[in-house]
Amino acid sequence: MTNAFINFFKEPPFKETIKDENKVKELYTHYRWRIFYSSFIAYIVFHICRKNIAVALPSMGEALHLSNTELGVLGSSLYITYGIGKFVNGVIADKANVRTFLPTALIMSAICNLCFVLSAIFVTPGHVTFFGLPSATVLLWLLCFFWGANGWFQSCGFPPVAKSLSYWFSNSERGTKWSLWSTSHQIGVFSAVMISGYVIQHFGWKAAFYMPAIICIIVGLWLFNRLRDKPQTLGLPDVEKYRNEPSAKSCEEEDKDNRSYFQIFKEHIICNPVIWMLAIAYIFVYIIRFGTEDWLVKYLVEVKHNELTLASSKLSSLALVGAFGAILAGVISDKIYKGNRTPINIIFLICLIMSLLAFAANPASNNFMDFVYAAMIGMFTSGPQMLIGGLCAVESSSKKVASASIGFTGIFGYVGAALSSGGTGFMVDKFGWNGAIAFWLISTAICVLICIILMLYEKYKKKQNS
């Protein structure tokens, strides 16, 4: 049984390389497109079993008599397991079969959603007690357990996608393909919000969990058919060889640094002040990112008295325009700032503060401007999110520890996500929604301050080296 389980997820062996160049070209053309759209769709669907809770919070909190602090703790359970799992499952995914690993994770995430909603059906607050505990407490623990388990399986989504994009697309094209694929996040949030908003309006809050779960199971089974592991498992040559480009391995061999991985990791990550500043800044980026993504619907329902469908539509504008913000930040930092990412981070974060203030000050009757300001919040959040914990981290470390640098900042990011969920709920309960807005604004301001310190430090180091 154990061997069968291991073999199911184990990387398939390499096949003998196909000699017919026309056949190689035909297969590469077919599978590269297939891998890309499958990965794109997969990550969109992952989100509908993750971001559904953001729309369900108002109805769920009222039905289960949960305070904002308790809802915040519930949301944090996913972010804690996701942050840990992102690193652990990244290591596992390197040796796992993408074709089985990713679809299984998606199906398990769907099962966690089903167990989550079943908990609320079988354990009714105020009706039954378990082991001397109020049933409401038991229910909260169950919800946190299954939502935390969902976070673990959700964290299995990105690593196999990253592996696929790395092996099926070469260095010269990977940046473009990666940036295009990254819009799947915003489309995923948009899809989750629209689907959940619709089904809650017509079938109740529980439908926001079991209907997306059904979709995820169907797509998971489809992905078993669509996905493949490395090109070599199909008898294809390495992608760099196919495109007549130097492989990453050849480039690394040209590097004269023969130190151990741990020594390089220690110098470029543990003892690298830039990475630490980026990681700490990433905490505050994720506080504002997940604060708005997870709580904006509840804010609009309770403060501006929007119908759930209208509030969900406003959140969807945040997600959709966010995709353009990430692309815009990358292009501007390349074309105008010649690869210097810190100035664009500072500009975007200052614009984010202004967008948050404008959104909070906008009267409830002006729905159009709510859409505009929500879109601006999405755009000015997604730029720093993509740069600070991703591109900046890679460029500030060694290429030999590039994945580790992203994993390192990613852990800090999900610490911020957990603080965002619990912290926002706490601030709402203690100080009202103005407290939550203040929490997000202060977090953004701290991130600006860190980026300014980072910019001054970079100038100092550049001057020292000149």
Side-chain angles (χ1 to χ4, degrees):
M1 180 65 74
T2 304
N3 287 337
F5 180 82
I6 293 172
N7 290 332
F8 181 73
F9 291 106
K10 187 179 178 182
E11 271 188 332
F14 287 4
K15 292 183 178 179
E16 184 179 348
T17 304
I18 299 169
K19 304 300 181 184
D20 186 343
E21 292 184 4
N22 291 328
K23 184 67 174 176
V24 168
K25 184 178 180 181
E26 179 188 340
L27 287 173
Y28 248 120
T29 302
H30 171 76
Y31 278 106
R32 275 153 57 90
W33 164 240
R34 181 163 149 175
I35 294 297
F36 182 84
Y37 76 68
S38 299
S39 301
F40 190 87
I41 292 170
Y43 214 61
I44 289 173
V45 177
F46 262 103
H47 279 80
I48 70 172
C49 267
R50 185 199 312 176
K51 286 300 176 184
N52 47 349
I53 197 170
V55 185
L57 281 179
S59 305
M60 188 172 68
E62 184 179 347
L64 302 179
H65 310 292
L66 297 172
S67 68
N68 287 307
T69 302
E70 288 172 327
L71 290 173
V73 171
L74 175 58
S76 296
S77 64
L78 181 142
Y79 296 135
I80 292 168
T81 55
Y82 190 100
I84 298 168
K86 193 173 182 181
F87 178 76
V88 175
N89 289 313
V91 175
I92 296 171
D94 278 334
K95 297 297 181 183
N97 185 352
V98 170
R99 186 181 184 182
T100 55
F101 188 77
L102 190 148
T104 301
L106 183 57
I107 291 171
M108 291 303 299
S109 175
I111 291 171
C112 288
N113 271 255
L114 292 173
C115 292
F116 180 90
V117 77
L118 285 172
S119 299
I121 293 173
F122 289 111
V123 182
T124 307
H127 287 202
V128 186
T129 58
F130 296 85
F131 310 111
L133 293 171
S135 57
T137 302
V138 174
L139 176 59
L140 181 61
W141 287 0
L142 279 172
L143 294 176
C144 287
F145 173 80
F146 287 119
W147 203 241
N150 184 40
W152 183 267
F153 292 113
Q154 285 280 328
S155 73
C156 299
F158 178 69
V161 169
K163 178 181 176 180
S164 290
L165 294 176
S166 298
Y167 278 99
W168 284 94
F169 299 97
S170 64
N171 291 341
S172 65
E173 58 180 344
R174 198 174 295 138
T176 302
K177 297 297 189 297
W178 201 294
S179 64
L180 290 172
W181 172 85
S182 70
T183 61
S184 63
H185 164 73
Q186 283 79 18
I187 296 173
V189 174
F190 171 80
S191 302
V193 168
M194 296 306 291
I195 292 171
S196 300
Y198 177 82
V199 299
I200 290 173
Q201 196 78 17
H202 291 82
F203 307 106
W205 72 268
K206 294 183 180 71
F209 296 92
Y210 66 75
M211 285 192 177
I214 292 169
I215 295 171
C216 286
I217 290 171
I218 293 170
V219 174
L221 294 173
W222 174 76
L223 288 170
F224 275 117
N225 172 266
R226 294 285 89 193
L227 292 172
R228 295 293 184 273
D229 203 69
K230 299 175 183 176
Q232 293 91 330
T233 62
L234 298 173
L236 296 170
D238 184 87
V239 67
E240 278 81 13
K241 184 177 180 181
Y242 164 68
R243 289 177 54 84
N244 295 316
E245 295 179 16
S247 68
K249 185 176 179 181
S250 298
C251 293
E252 287 181 6
E253 288 173 350
E254 291 175 4
D255 196 336
K256 302 298 181 182
D257 192 348
N258 294 318
R259 292 175 300 166
S260 69
Y261 179 87
F262 177 75
Q263 289 174 314
I264 299 169
F265 180 91
K266 181 181 176 182
E267 178 186 342
H268 289 279
I269 296 181
I270 301 300
C271 298
N272 185 348
V274 174
I275 287 288
W276 278 96
M277 281 188 274
L278 290 170
I280 295 170
Y282 214 38
I283 293 174
F284 298 100
V285 171
Y286 266 51
I287 285 176
I288 179 62
R289 174 194 167 187
F290 285 104
T292 52
E293 282 187 7
D294 291 352
W295 291 89
L296 204 64
V297 170
K298 200 169 193 296
Y299 170 83
L300 288 166
V301 169
E302 294 183 0
V303 177
K304 300 198 177 185
H305 308 294
N306 289 173
E307 292 291 332
L308 186 62
T309 305
L310 177 60
S312 301
S313 298
K314 290 178 181 179
L315 179 58
S316 70
S317 69
L318 179 149
L320 277 183
V321 179
F324 297 101
I327 296 171
L328 186 65
V331 170
I332 293 175
S333 64
D334 274 344
K335 302 298 182 183
I336 297 178
Y337 292 100
K338 308 301 180 185
N340 187 0
R341 319 294 175 186
T342 309
I344 195 65
N345 284 328
I346 294 171
I347 292 169
F348 268 52
L349 289 165
I350 291 172
C351 291
L352 176 58
I353 290 174
M354 293 189 290
S355 301
L356 279 167
L357 288 170
F359 182 82
N362 188 52
S365 59
N366 195 343
N367 287 317
F368 174 76
M369 291 310 298
D370 267 355
F371 276 99
V372 173
Y373 294 138
M376 290 171 64
I377 290 170
M379 182 170 72
F380 294 124
T381 303
S382 62
Q385 176 208 334
M386 183 212 35
L387 291 175
I388 290 175
L391 196 53
C392 292
V394 171
E395 293 176 342
S396 300
S397 63
S398 166
K399 63 186 177 182
K400 291 186 175 182
V401 290
S403 296
S405 64
I406 293 175
F408 184 76
T409 55
I411 290 172
F412 280 77
Y414 278 91
V415 168
L419 290 173
S420 173
S421 189
T424 300
F426 175 81
M427 293 297 284
V428 174
D429 280 343
K430 290 293 182 182
F431 308 105
W433 279 103
N434 286 336
I437 299 292
F439 179 48
W440 301 341
L441 287 169
I442 291 168
S443 298
T444 312
I446 293 172
C447 196
V448 172
L449 181 61
I450 295 170
C451 287
I452 291 172
I453 294 170
L454 178 59
M455 185 171 65
L456 295 174
Y457 178 79
E458 287 171 341
K459 286 184 177 179
Y460 168 75
K461 292 296 289 184
K462 189 175 181 180
K463 191 175 181 180
Q464 262 196 335
N465 295 331
S466 60

